[in-house]
Amino acid sequence: MALKVLTALDHARTQYYHFKAIIIAGMGLFTDSYDLFCIAPVMKLIGRIYYGDAQADKPGVTPPAVASAMVAVALAGTVIGQLVFGFLGDRIGRRRMYGLSLLLMVASSFASGFSICRTRGCVLTSLCLFRFLLGIGIGGDYPLSATIMSEFANKRTRGSFIAAVFSMQGFGILASSAVTMAITAAFNRATERGDAGPLQTPESADLAWRIILMVGAIPAGLTFYWRIAMPETARFTALVEQNVMKATADMGKVLGGLDVHNFAEDAEALRRSPQPRPPSYGLLSRQFLRRHGWNLFACAMAWFLVDIPYYSSTLFQSQIYQPFFPRPEHVNAYQDAYNVAKFQAIIAAASTIPGYFATVYFIERVGRRRIQMMGFFFMGLFLFALAGPYDNYWNHHTNAGYIVLYALTFFFSNFGPNTTTFIVPAELFPARFRSTCHGISGAAGKVGAIIGAIGFLWASQARNKEDVASGWKPGIGMMNALIILAGVCMIGAVHTYLFTPETKMRSLEENEGGGSQDGDSHEDVDGEENKYSTPSPLSVQPLVGQSPLQSPG
């Protein structure tokens, strides 16, 4: 028997609650990017405070191994959070776990700022611990935010809404840069009459980086009440918990124009009649692999491939901004951190956020699959362009065109696979596996992020030992690293073409059964049901007299 409440959700007009849900869901991703991107200028301050030497002629620098560990623990926590919270979101409920993940983010952000003590070993150990917990909270927010938004949205604008949630990352980057610039500028002004020379780091710097980390918890904390007050999604309540009447009542409270009395008769009939039980196969069963294995592989591998080049962008970021800012030994601690944050803000405003907006606008017009292929291709193209003249440019002179190419890689990662890999897993899988499969896909991505942010960071070092900075080991060179990263992007484009299906303009219940890559219906040309189609016993059918919407090929 068809569930009219879910059909009504698919055809509901866009209204206030949809935009409210975007803010509620997006604030977790806002906090995510704030905490991940503010760590670069914070490491500048920590290097000056805890690794400075009064007798040296250069300011203190956080050792590469310590900086890598700080990034790695947060990403490792994200992997665990995505797997655990994704699984629990399908077992306990999206809403119940949603507040918990946010609470963990808020608590660990504040704790990162406190970091217990003042000695170097104790501070760094406790900071790693709290950033690991922060990573777990961030990881849990990914599958829950995407799943909740996909299950609330109508099918005409679902992709744009999920992309809008994900775009909050761009504003988180911008906010982290703005907060860092404001705090370091304020501390610099307060100490400019005192001992704040390039090689003398005032004690107040130890307070500055703590404030920067703690401020990130405020926006997320402000949305905590909204999270715990929002209802469970109708699809989880109806399809997983098998409580159609509650699902109907919940949606009637938050979405205007849904007359619950229109669905009361169907809900009562559904309650009284013997109901077919949901499919009994599990996540690790052969039946799941046969029905959804290729889709899970498509989502996880695409996310893995895009996060390698995306997170390795820090490889050559310092090389790009250094020619435009004074050298570290010519500025004090606050000015050094300020310059890093300023460069991050410029890239976010000029390329990252426009890329997100382009996806929001075009995703329902062009489709997920085409945007993902295009993004991978252009990322690879621009990385190849960066690799060719790399040694020539940075060993001899600065070229402004290089910065443009660098910014374009960010634009097409966000107007491409960095956003679509977040969207597609939330649309392809049955309700009882949706959050889990999104978490698995995201965890695969963060494994790629560890490879990109840590592995390529070390591998990209110069081949000659004499050219390698203190604390680093010789590698394959930046040019070779960029060529490999470009190749990874091209593999991602081919992978998308071969394995990623189109999901636009289709209900979630239509998508979960498979279908062609171009978003065709689940019926073949002869009108017979596709053999790979696996509609749920409670799947949504089109409204009477209305044909299923199909995307163009």
Side-chain angles (χ1 to χ4, degrees), residues 344-427:
Q344 289 181 337
I346 292 171
I347 294 297
S351 63
T352 304
I353 294 177
Y356 286 128
F357 282 171
T359 304
V360 172
Y361 182 79
F362 285 107
I363 194 160
E364 300 298 356
R365 295 167 172 80
V366 179
R368 290 78 159 137
R369 183 168 175 260
R370 289 177 179 174
I371 288 178
Q372 187 165 301
M373 281 192 294
M374 176 197 68
F376 266 126
F377 175 78
F378 281 107
M379 282 179 68
L381 188 66
F382 290 124
L383 284 170
F384 273 127
L386 288 168
Y390 184 86
D391 291 333
N392 215 16
Y393 282 163
W394 295 112
N395 288 339
H396 301 288
H397 65 279
T398 300
N399 190 302
Y402 206 91
I403 299 178
V404 175
L405 292 175
Y406 176 76
L408 285 171
T409 62
F410 274 93
F411 177 83
F412 280 103
S413 64
N414 294 310
F415 182 33
N418 189 47
T419 303
T420 56
T421 51
F422 180 79
I423 296 171
V424 175
E427 300 180 311

Side-chain angles (χ1 to χ4, degrees), residues 281-294 296:
Y281 62 90
L283 181 69
L284 302 179
S285 66
R286 290 183 179 179
Q287 194 171 0
F288 174 88
L289 292 177
R290 186 174 68 252
R291 296 187 177 195
H292 311 292
W294 280 117
L296 184 57

Side-chain angles (χ1 to χ4, degrees), residues 231-490:
E232 184 58 83
T233 69
R235 283 182 163 89
F236 180 83
T237 304
L239 301 178
V240 180
E241 294 184 332
Q242 298 283 287
N243 191 339
V244 181
M245 298 184 72
K246 186 176 186 301
T248 301
D250 287 343
M251 290 304 97
K253 294 176 182 177
V254 297
L255 293 178
L258 287 181
D259 187 355
V260 297
H261 299 292
N262 291 338
F263 312 131
E265 183 179 343
D266 294 301
E268 182 63 20
L270 199 64
R271 185 181 68 82
R272 292 177 179 275
S273 62
Q275 292 305 309
R277 298 182 63 81
S280 59
Y281 62 90
L283 181 69
L284 302 179
S285 66
R286 290 183 179 179
Q287 194 171 0
F288 174 88
L289 292 177
R290 186 174 68 252
R291 296 187 177 195
H292 311 292
W294 280 117
N295 284 342
L296 184 57
F297 170 73
C299 295
M301 182 56 69
W303 208 330
F304 172 81
L305 291 172
V306 70
D307 272 7
I308 293 176
Y310 185 79
Y311 278 83
S312 66
S313 62
T314 55
L315 298 181
F316 43 96
Q317 190 176 87
S318 61
Q319 289 276 26
I320 290 178
Y321 72 70
Q322 277 181 0
F324 298 93
F325 295 109
R327 296 186 63 82
E329 54 265 29
H330 298 152
V331 294
N332 63 34
Y334 300 126
Q335 294 166 334
D336 197 13
Y338 181 97
N339 291 336
V340 175
K342 182 178 179 180
F343 181 77
Q344 289 181 337
I346 292 171
I347 294 297
S351 63
T352 304
I353 294 177
Y356 286 128
F357 282 171
T359 304
V360 172
Y361 182 79
F362 285 107
I363 194 160
E364 300 298 356
R365 295 167 172 80
V366 179
R368 290 78 159 137
R369 183 168 175 260
R370 289 177 179 174
I371 288 178
Q372 187 165 301
M373 281 192 294
M374 176 197 68
F376 266 126
F377 175 78
F378 281 107
M379 282 179 68
L381 188 66
F382 290 124
L383 284 170
F384 273 127
L386 288 168
Y390 184 86
D391 291 333
N392 215 16
Y393 282 163
W394 295 112
N395 288 339
H396 301 288
H397 65 279
T398 300
N399 190 302
Y402 206 91
I403 299 178
V404 175
L405 292 175
Y406 176 76
L408 285 171
T409 62
F410 274 93
F411 177 83
F412 280 103
S413 64
N414 294 310
F415 182 33
N418 189 47
T419 303
T420 56
T421 51
F422 180 79
I423 296 171
V424 175
E427 300 180 311
L428 270 182
F429 301 99
R432 64 198 186 96
F433 296 125
R434 188 167 292 135
S435 179
T436 301
C437 290
H438 196 286
I440 293 172
S441 302
K446 287 303 174 281
V447 172
I450 293 172
I451 294 173
I454 309 301
F456 274 89
L457 181 64
W458 286 82
S460 64
Q461 300 304 307
R463 293 182 176 185
N464 298 326
K465 191 173 183 180
E466 295 78 14
D467 298 330
V468 179
S470 176
W472 296 97
K473 295 182 179 180
I476 62 175
M478 183 65 74
M479 184 179 72
N480 292 328
L482 291 173
I483 291 173
I484 294 173
L485 292 171
V488 170
C489 292
M490 293 304 179

